[in-house]
Amino acid sequence: MIVDLHTHTTASDGSLSPEQLLARAVERGVGLLAVTDHDTLDAYQQLGGTRHGAVQLVCGAEFSCNWQGVNIHILGLGLDSEHEALQQAVSEQKLARDRRSEEIAKRLAKRGIHGVLEALQERVTGRSLGRPDFARYLVEVGHVKSMNEAFDRYLGAGKIGDVKAMWPSLDRVLSWIHDAGGVAVIAHPLHYKMTNAKLRRLIAEFCELGGNALEVCNGRPAETDLRYLRELCRHFNLEASAGSDFHHLSQWCDLGCDASVVGSCTPVWHRWLGAA
């Protein structure tokens, strides 16, 4: 079976509309799909329903939070999109994203890059800005040659555009997810470039707060990374999730993960298969 529990659309920083993403999932043979845009449920609400032909849809979102000064992403899966507290949480995150965008623009201006926020607000409507939007702009106006360079010089971890203070705490985000009937998953655990000891401390606290799963597969990981994350799942008695973290069509990323990628770990998707 092919699953994908981590995807993005134009409702946040992806390039495909919700309808286009769903059509691509059908083409790729994805049986279980979660649309997990950053801090918004708009795509899921636009699509409506949990069954679209052969594709079963799970309501999700990717929430940013602050843990010991690190910007951590938590996937909420199986959410009640109409839950009042969740709607309030999405509103709070939008405000945090808007404030973060303002701060990033101010910091870039101090480096001599002016008018970024105004330019982006003219071209992006109906959603909050993300760092990829800033990165694309920096490429377009010639400050950098590539998205990777934009993050390496200005927007990546520890750089001037890496603004973390706006985000809520880990425990608050998990409360939002659980109150809305959802499952909390640590997204791309190896992207935070933590030492093994610090990552284990994060996971231990996540478990103490009632966290449910670890994203074992994110995109196309190396086999050594898969083995390491499976071991962490088993050690902490967490379920395993898998997703492409799809944003754009490219030779490096497409929808879908083979369900066998989680190995002997308990897959998080056992909660929804056959439920629609």
Side-chain angles (χ1 to χ4, degrees):
M1 180 178 178
I2 305 300
V3 301
D4 201 326
L5 299 181
H6 189 168
T7 65
H8 299 275
T9 73
T10 50
S12 63
D13 57 351
S15 62
L16 299 186
S17 70
E19 293 78 11
Q20 289 171 327
L21 184 81
L22 183 58
R24 185 61 180 169
V26 172
E27 291 176 11
R28 295 282 294 169
V30 176
L32 187 69
L33 175 72
V35 183
T36 55
D37 280 308
H38 294 284
D39 303 305
T40 179
L41 306 173
D42 286 353
Y44 177 83
Q45 292 168 332
Q46 287 177 41
L47 291 172
T50 58
R51 175 66 68 177
H52 295 264
V55 181
Q56 185 172 331
L57 195 62
V58 174
C59 179
E62 184 172 8
F63 294 103
S64 294
C65 66
N66 192 324
W67 180 80
Q68 294 190 8
V70 182
N71 180 8
I72 303 296
H73 289 184
I74 302 295
L75 297 172
L77 301 176
L79 301 167
D80 174 3
S81 63
E82 302 300 322
H83 194 279
E84 184 177 350
L86 185 61
Q87 294 294 330
Q88 179 61 35
V90 167
S91 296
E92 288 184 28
Q93 289 292 82
K94 182 182 185 304
L95 180 60
R97 282 191 168 273
D98 291 344
R99 288 176 175 170
R100 184 183 71 154
S101 295
E102 293 171 3
E103 181 61 26
I104 292 173
K106 288 178 182 177
R107 294 185 182 189
L108 290 175
K110 292 179 180 178
R111 291 287 184 89
I113 306 172
H114 300 281
V116 181
L117 186 61
E118 293 77 9
L120 287 175
Q121 287 174 335
E122 288 182 2
R123 68 179 67 183
V124 177
T125 58
R127 66 171 176 84
S128 296
L129 298 171
R131 285 183 296 170
D133 295 306
F134 285 88
R136 279 189 286 271
Y137 177 82
L138 292 175
V139 173
E140 290 173 14
V141 298
H143 283 288
V144 294
K145 294 181 180 179
S146 67
M147 294 278 285
N148 284 341
E149 185 183 353
F151 277 89
D152 289 342
R153 291 182 60 185
Y154 297 106
L155 301 165
K159 305 302 179 181
I160 193 170
D162 181 24
V163 180
K164 309 181 184 71
M166 309 290 182
W167 300 126
S169 62
L170 175 65
D171 64 318
R172 189 144 191 248
V173 167
L174 263 63
S175 293
W176 290 342
I177 293 169
H178 291 145
D179 288 349
V183 177
V185 183
I186 297 179
H188 39 65
L190 301 184
H191 285 204
Y192 310 117
K193 302 188 187 303
M194 295 179 181
T195 63
N196 176 62
K198 187 168 184 178
L199 179 58
R200 285 174 176 267
R201 289 198 298 273
L202 165 63
I203 298 173
E205 184 170 334
F206 176 75
C207 291
E208 290 173 5
L209 294 169
N212 307 100
L214 196 66
E215 192 172 58
V216 165
C217 179
N218 179 270
R220 297 181 181 179
E223 184 60 35
T224 52
D225 292 340
L226 284 174
R227 287 198 297 268
Y228 175 55
L229 292 173
R230 290 175 192 142
E231 188 278 326
L232 287 176
C233 273
R234 289 188 289 267
H235 178 81
F236 287 97
N237 196 29
L238 289 170
E239 295 172 22
S241 189
S244 62
D245 201 359
F246 178 88
H247 286 75
H248 314 283
L249 283 171
S250 74
Q251 63 178 323
W252 306 112
C253 180
D254 209 334
L255 289 175
C257 300
D258 192 299
S260 65
V261 75
V262 301
S264 62
C265 300
T266 301
V268 71
W269 49 83
H270 77 87
R271 298 165 177 266
W272 304 292
L273 286 179

